[in-house]
Amino acid sequence: MLLPDRRLLLAAGLWLGLGLAVAVVPSLLAFWQMAAATLFGLAAADALSAWRRRGRIAVQRDLSHAMPVGTWQNVGLRLRCDSGQATGWLIDRHPAAFLSEGLPLRFTVTADRCLRVVYRVSVSERGRQVFDGVSLRCASPLRLWLLQENVVEQDVVRVFPNFARIAHYTLLATDHRLSQMGILQRRRRGEGMEFLQLRDYRQDDPPRQIDWKASSRVGRLISRAYADERDQQIVFLLDCGVRMRARDGELSHFDHTLDALLLLAWVALRQGDAVGLATFGHPSPRVLPPRKSLATLQAMMNAVYDLQPSLQVPDYLSASETLSQRLRKRALVILVTNLRDEDDDTLLPAVEQLRRRHAVSVASLREAVLDELLEAPVNDFDAALIRAAGIEYLQTRRRQVALLRHGGVEVLDVVARQLPVALINHYWARKRSGA
């Protein structure tokens, strides 16, 4: 596609101005006609020359194919010209959900060198994102036209939860910090099946603890000492329904939840616990069986990076039945959702079903805007009505939380941005108590 450049528009404007002068001074008609012929000839020749130069520029995108959400990322573009010199502007067709800074980019590239230009994008949405292509507007030799071309250069990137933010939180989980908080991982001698050490035989040791090979080597009875098995399984039951679409700051409740779950998974794996994941409230539920390997964290990120909260209402009972069938060994099940007063019919039966074999905790995300609403001054009737509605809404939620707690279920009722700290504190409290 050929687009007129500024020079051509300026020349056409001057020619039209000369046409107005001809209406006043008829003797200028011949000059005006000659100017028209000259302008048309130059424009046609320049357009033909620009058209013959199409396809000379190759573009290669340089970017990371794994990006954390909520960050600014640099995107590089390498331009090569087959022959001569090319000047113009380019626009990279980045994902529509991303904001860009630095586009369009001015470029001048010659055949003897490669040009690299850079702009930035704000990565504002998780999942599979596509950089579709690059639009070029190259100037014609006389700068009368811009030749617009589309270069096919598609790149697919995976946008993960913000692991940089998770790495910041994990500083709290280093051995030095944990010891300052009074959280130490200790082994206890006991009757478990986890081998601890070899030691001399004691009179009250059962015969099955004697290590006969070690005893024959040293010429005296040697016993195996075992440690109590304190490791546990933690399974996150994640609501991916419509309620998780609410926002707290720049991120949705769902994104805050993913950050919190990945952080707690990292800490639990460091402590030797197994971590798993199950999702519900969307068309394709996903289940990640509990594992102890540190590679589990990467598996979790791959399992959830493209998840988005759906428009479905969560079915807690169906989710609990599915998880109960998949999860045989006792585990700590952490259900993350947004409680409502209409959940009585499905939530309580679902929690009771899970509690037959597992320990269950419920993390309910509260909208931060409700707290701000209650703190805002009431200056008119409309503000009073809004506050009254907010108070009624919070009271119904508190009744739901009270019902769960009355049934012996541990409930964390927090705003979304405070969920990481709340889950970590809850985990360590259970770890201390040995629950």
Side-chain angles (χ1 to χ4, degrees), residues 215-275:
S215 300
S216 64
R217 285 196 299 269
V218 299
R220 65 181 187 276
L221 290 178
I222 300 296
S223 292
R224 300 188 188 95
Y226 295 91
D228 281 347
E229 296 175 1
R230 301 295 302 280
D231 299 345
Q232 61 181 340
Q233 289 194 132
I234 300 175
V235 178
F236 303 116
L237 187 55
L238 176 59
D239 180 4
C240 302
V242 65
R243 300 176 184 177
M244 305 296 282
R245 299 170 70 91
R247 302 193 73 82
D248 187 350
E250 296 181 357
L251 300 179
S252 68
H253 281 191
F254 194 73
D255 285 313
H256 282 294
T257 299
L258 292 183
D259 288 350
L261 297 192
L262 291 172
L263 170 61
L264 180 53
W266 190 91
V267 174
L269 290 168
R270 283 282 304 271
Q271 296 300 307
D273 292 333
V275 179

Side-chain angles (χ1 to χ4, degrees), residues 28-58:
L28 295 176
L29 178 62
F31 178 74
W32 180 70
Q33 292 174 337
M34 184 176 61
T38 303
L39 180 60
F40 180 81
L42 289 175
D46 197 36
L48 181 61
S49 178
W51 185 255
R52 290 175 176 175
R53 290 167 176 255
R54 69 187 187 278
R56 294 185 305 150
I57 300 178

Side-chain angles (χ1 to χ4, degrees), residues 18-76:
L18 183 60
L20 295 176
V22 169
V24 179
V25 185
S27 60
L28 295 176
L29 178 62
F31 178 74
W32 180 70
Q33 292 174 337
M34 184 176 61
T38 303
L39 180 60
F40 180 81
L42 289 175
D46 197 36
L48 181 61
S49 178
W51 185 255
R52 290 175 176 175
R53 290 167 176 255
R54 69 187 187 278
R56 294 185 305 150
I57 300 178
V59 181
Q60 182 179 5
R61 194 179 286 109
D62 181 14
L63 78 171
S64 172
H65 287 81
M67 298 180 178
V69 70
T71 62
W72 284 89
Q73 298 288 321
N74 289 334
V75 180

Side-chain angles (χ1 to χ4, degrees), residues 161-222:
N162 193 344
F163 37 77
R165 185 160 51 240
I166 295 170
H168 170 72
Y169 276 115
T170 55
L171 293 176
L172 298 175
T174 60
D175 293 337
H176 176 64
R177 294 290 182 90
L178 295 181
S179 62
Q180 289 181 339
M181 295 166 61
I183 301 166
L184 296 174
Q185 186 178 18
R186 296 188 178 93
R187 293 183 180 272
R188 298 191 308 171
R189 291 184 177 87
E191 297 297 328
M193 295 302 294
E194 185 177 355
F195 176 75
L196 179 61
Q197 64 183 8
L198 292 175
R199 58 169 174 78
D200 289 337
Y201 174 79
R202 297 171 184 170
Q203 187 173 1
D204 56 348
D205 286 346
R208 65 183 178 85
Q209 283 189 216
I210 299 176
D211 190 314
W212 296 105
K213 289 184 179 180
S215 300
S216 64
R217 285 196 299 269
V218 299
R220 65 181 187 276
L221 290 178
I222 300 296

Side-chain angles (χ1 to χ4, degrees), residues 89-149:
W89 298 87
L90 69 82
I91 297 178
D92 193 12
R93 296 202 294 274
H94 55 76
F98 293 1
L99 297 177
S100 63
E101 188 177 88
L103 290 178
L105 288 165
R106 179 81 175 179
F107 69 88
T108 300
V109 59
T110 57
D112 58 346
R113 68 186 184 94
C114 174
L115 176 66
R116 186 177 187 272
V117 293
V118 179
Y119 72 97
R120 298 201 310 160
V121 291
S122 174
V123 184
S124 53
E125 186 173 318
R126 284 179 302 99
R128 182 182 181 273
Q129 303 292 342
V130 178
F131 286 76
D132 198 17
V134 179
S135 295
L136 301 174
R137 289 188 176 181
C138 300
S140 60
L142 297 179
R143 306 293 177 88
L144 298 179
W145 298 95
L146 290 173
L147 177 66
Q148 181 166 310
E149 302 180 69

Side-chain angles (χ1 to χ4, degrees), residues 419-434:
L419 183 62
V421 175
L423 283 182
I424 291 295
N425 290 337
H426 178 64
Y427 170 79
W428 287 127
R430 295 189 62 88
K431 202 72 172 174
R432 290 192 195 100
S433 64

